[in-house]
């Protein structure tokens, strides 16, 4: 069984650029969630995708957008990068349908984004 | 809005000591509560959870009880080991099940 994988591992961008991060969910999982973790902080929920639809969103501006594909993999896109977007971006997958209450999330190793 | 507050770290304990990491929450209705752990060099993983008031979650010798009257979900372990050294995150899922909130994390170091 393959776990959650994310690419790339590290990324350096400059302010104003756009970035796409990728996540492959664990086998059999149909839901993907994205989180932003600043250094020394807990992860902050960005959004969740279930069956290719956004199923919940945290307090992030519209320049953070996502996609989920028929194979349940997902992308996180961030436009007009700002210095404060520098963080570790985590992807988590879960099965059993959308919603967090009863479905365990399995986290990937993250993508470290640095914005200069 | 909903939120989680957990005790500041870092925490350093000797092996076999008793551990408590405090966690309190603010939420509308009845959230589900979780503890996640991040071991050095590894990804976040679920440690335990409780989905309704008075439920006790337990795993690997760790326990936490969902206390609605005190809005708390404190993590406890009777005798910590060096291998328990990690960062621990308290978290909640709101009553809709579509929002998730983590605390800031508490770093635990257990020394032999």
């Amino acid at each position: 069984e393959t776990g959650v994988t994310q690419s790339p591992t590290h990324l350096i961008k400059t302010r104003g650029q756009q970035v796409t991060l990728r996540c492959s969910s664990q086998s059999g999982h149909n839901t993907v969630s994205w989180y932003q973790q600043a250094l020394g902080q807990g992860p902050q929920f960005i959004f969740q995708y279930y069956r290719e639809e956004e199923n919940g969103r945290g307090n992030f501006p519209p320049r953070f957008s996502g996609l989920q594909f028929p194979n349940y993999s997902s992308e996180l896109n961030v436009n007009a990068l700002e210095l404060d977007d520098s963080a570790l971006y985590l992807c988590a997958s879960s099965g059993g349908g959308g919603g967090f209450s009863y479905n365990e999330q399995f986290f990937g190793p993250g993508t470290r984004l640095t914005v200069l | 809005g909903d939120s989680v507050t957990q005790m500041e770290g870092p925490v350093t304990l000797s092996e076999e000591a008793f551990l408590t990491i405090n966690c309190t929450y603010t939420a509308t209705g009845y959230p589900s509560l979780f503890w996640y752990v991040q071991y050095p060099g590894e990804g976040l993983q679920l440690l335990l959870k409780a989905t309704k008031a008075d439920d006790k979650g337990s795993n690997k010798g760790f326990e936490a009880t969902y206390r609605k009257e005190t809005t708390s979900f404190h993590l406890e372990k009777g005798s910590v080991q060096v291998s328990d050294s990690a960062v621990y995150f308290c978290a909640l899922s709101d009553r809709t099940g579509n929002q998730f909130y983590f605390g800031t994390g508490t770093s635990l170091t257990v020394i032999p």
Side-chain angles (χ1 to χ4, degrees):
Chain A
E1 183 179 272
T2 306
V4 179
T5 59
Q6 294 185 241
S7 62
T9 306
H10 296 90
L11 202 51
I12 300 175
K13 292 285 189 178
T14 56
R15 196 171 50 180
Q17 285 188 312
Q18 178 266 342
V19 69
T20 298
L21 311 182
R22 295 178 175 83
C23 172
S24 292
S25 60
Q26 187 166 308
S27 177
H29 286 180
N30 55 17
T31 303
V32 173
S33 304
W34 286 92
Y35 295 83
Q36 180 193 68
Q37 187 175 18
L39 203 58
Q41 300 297 314
Q44 288 195 59
F45 172 62
I46 303 174
F47 43 55
Q48 181 187 73
Y49 276 82
Y50 169 57
R51 292 184 174 176
E52 303 176 54
E53 298 280 337
E54 189 178 284
N55 190 48
R57 188 180 182 94
N59 190 27
F60 280 82
R63 60 188 185 85
F64 286 79
S65 63
L67 281 174
Q68 187 180 31
F69 300 99
N71 67 354
Y72 305 126
S73 66
S74 177
E75 287 182 353
L76 165 66
N77 298 290
V78 187
N79 293 323
L81 283 167
E82 301 177 359
L83 298 179
D84 285 349
D85 296 333
S86 294
L88 180 69
Y89 288 84
L90 298 170
C91 166
S93 74
S94 54
F100 291 114
S101 298
Y102 298 98
N103 302 309
E104 180 176 351
Q105 296 184 83
F106 293 81
F107 283 82
T111 293
R112 173 73 62 189
L113 173 65
T114 302
V115 182
L116 302 176
Chain B
D2 294 6
S3 65
V4 171
T5 302
Q6 62 180 104
M7 79 187 253
E8 297 278 333
V11 174
T12 302
L13 294 174
S14 296
E15 206 165 21
E16 299 184 2
F18 183 86
L19 168 71
T20 300
I21 300 177
N22 290 337
C23 173
T24 57
Y25 68 89
T26 301
T28 303
Y30 298 90
S32 295
L33 300 173
F34 306 81
W35 278 100
Y36 277 80
V37 59
Q38 187 167 34
Y39 297 103
E42 298 185 20
L44 272 170
Q45 54 186 275
L46 179 65
L47 180 60
L48 53 84
K49 72 177 186 181
T51 57
K52 60 183 188 294
D54 300 325
D55 267 3
K56 177 186 285 188
S58 61
N59 186 24
K60 299 182 180 181
F62 291 89
E63 294 182 340
T65 301
Y66 187 162
R67 303 279 190 205
K68 185 161 178 61
E69 62 275 12
T70 54
T71 62
S72 65
F73 192 55
H74 304 321
L75 182 68
E76 297 182 335
K77 186 175 186 183
S79 175
V80 293
Q81 305 300 312
V82 171
S83 57
D84 294 326
S85 298
V87 181
Y88 293 82
F89 293 91
C90 186
L92 77 79
S93 163
D94 75 349
R95 61 193 174 102
T96 70
N98 294 336
Q99 296 287 330
F100 206 83
Y101 303 90
F102 279 94
T104 53
T106 301
S107 175
L108 169 68
T109 301
V110 180
I111 54 177

